Amino acid sequence: MYPGKKRRDYNDIEFILSYRKDIIFREHATKLDIFQDSIELLFYLTKVLNAGFLDEVKRTGKRPEGSGAIIPVLFERNNHNLLAAYKLACIGLNNPAYLNLRTVFEGITQMYLLHFTDREAYIFYKQQLDTLTEDEEKELKNKHHWLRPSRIRAVLYAGEKKKQVDDFYILISNAAHPGIKRAMGDFDYREEVTVDVLSISLALSAASLMSIKNIYSDILNEEEAEEIDNILDRVTRELDGQVMDISPNHPGLKRD
């Protein structure tokens, strides 16, 4: 250690983050309350889905398999990433929060890809399990462009909605990978950035709930569907109607 230089105690660092947290919880209580309720419902729905899958196994004697079996894994991973983003946003660590939010966005679109496509879902499923044949890997590279986020969006969306979804994703990505000047701003509490990250967190929690309602409507009962609608209404009001609907609209997708 250099002479005359005092190392900052870890408790001092924690105090700064705790001070930020006090400000954020005081200034943005409504957003935080809605988000906590969203998280509670999202984690509850994992139990609902697992119970539904178990009933199906008991009824048919068959375990879930194929591309659809990955959707619940992506959903639960999204819940953890949303919770991580919330924890980071509550202490003003906004750039790391955006990284988690970008993962949530990508996870939702991957869930929709698995549900609304056939060949792309099959290829993505085998890619995740690392079981692609040599010919399938060539197909993934040449025809499906590695199913990168941009490719998945091209499969799921069309027209004006695709532009809106692309712009939303670019917004999150740019925030997750800021330039040096913008990154330095994360070292201090900035209310406008906190509002932005909390708003996007709410929007993506709503989108995640909507994805479960769209994909698993046959498992959810009326009360659970109403709870989802209630959270969606609260998020919509809090964000003044500026909620991004990222459910797919491409005319080439299969429909139930």
Side-chain angles (χ1 to χ4, degrees):
M1 184 179 295
Y2 288 105
K5 299 293 183 183
K6 182 179 182 300
R7 179 179 297 177
R8 178 182 288 179
D9 187 89
Y10 180 78
N11 288 330
D12 294 335
I13 300 171
E14 282 287 334
F15 176 78
I16 293 171
L17 298 178
S18 178
Y19 178 70
R20 289 188 191 180
K21 185 174 182 178
D22 289 342
I23 295 173
I24 292 168
F25 268 76
R26 182 175 65 249
E27 298 296 328
H28 308 291
T30 302
K31 283 184 173 59
L32 297 175
D33 286 345
I34 297 172
F35 190 78
Q36 287 178 2
D37 289 345
S38 300
I39 288 291
E40 287 180 4
L41 181 55
L42 285 164
F43 274 88
Y44 169 71
L45 290 175
T46 62
K47 293 185 176 182
V48 171
L49 295 180
N50 287 335
F53 300 146
L54 182 59
D55 288 343
E56 183 68 11
V57 170
K58 290 179 179 178
R59 186 180 67 83
T60 65
K62 297 180 180 179
R63 294 182 177 276
E65 59 183 19
S67 57
I70 300 183
I71 297 177
V73 179
L74 292 173
F75 175 59
E76 188 150 5
R77 186 186 71 177
N78 273 355
N79 292 347
H80 286 266
N81 278 292
L82 276 170
L83 184 57
Y86 168 73
K87 293 288 189 180
L88 290 165
C90 284
I91 55 177
L93 296 180
N94 295 308
N95 292 148
Y98 280 120
L99 284 169
N100 285 278
L101 293 173
R102 187 181 66 174
T103 301
V104 172
F105 180 98
E106 292 174 355
I108 293 172
T109 58
Q110 289 165 352
M111 289 167 60
Y112 281 135
L113 182 84
L114 289 166
H115 184 67
F116 286 111
T117 67
D118 288 319
R119 188 60 184 176
E120 289 90 347
Y122 172 79
I123 292 293
F124 180 80
Y125 165 72
K126 295 200 68 178
Q127 178 196 29
Q128 297 304 301
L129 298 182
D130 197 24
T131 57
L132 288 168
T133 66
E134 185 175 337
D135 286 342
E136 288 168 345
E137 188 162 351
K138 289 179 180 177
E139 179 185 345
L140 174 64
K141 175 183 177 182
N142 299 324
K143 183 177 180 180
H144 305 291
H145 309 286
W146 297 114
L147 286 173
R148 298 184 180 95
S150 59
R151 175 59 181 170
I152 291 177
R153 296 196 305 274
V155 172
L156 296 179
Y157 307 103
E160 181 61 25
K161 186 166 191 178
K162 182 179 185 304
K163 182 181 182 305
Q164 293 174 355
V165 172
D166 285 344
D167 289 346
F168 187 52
Y169 181 78
I170 290 169
L171 172 69
I172 301 172
S173 293
N174 288 344
H177 295 289
I180 293 299
K181 184 176 180 180
R182 287 187 58 203
M184 290 175 64
D186 204 37
F187 302 158
D188 298 310
Y189 172 68
R190 296 172 62 195
E191 182 177 6
E192 68 276 13
V193 181
T194 293
V195 170
D196 186 61
V197 73
L198 290 176
S199 297
I200 292 177
S201 298
L202 278 177
L204 287 176
S205 69
S208 191
L209 287 168
M210 197 178 300
S211 71
I212 290 304
K213 188 176 180 182
N214 289 339
I215 295 172
Y216 292 116
S217 59
D218 57 329
I219 293 180
L220 303 179
N221 62 33
E222 184 176 347
E223 180 180 349
E224 291 150 0
E226 287 179 357
E227 285 192 67
I228 292 175
D229 288 340
N230 179 53
I231 292 291
L232 295 179
D233 288 343
R234 290 172 65 192
V235 172
T236 301
R237 289 196 301 270
E238 178 62 23
L239 300 182
D240 296 323
Q242 302 300 309
V243 178
M244 173 58 65
D245 176 9
I246 58 176
S247 55
N249 75 325
H250 198 289
L253 298 174
K254 69 178 185 181
R255 302 294 175 179
D256 295 333

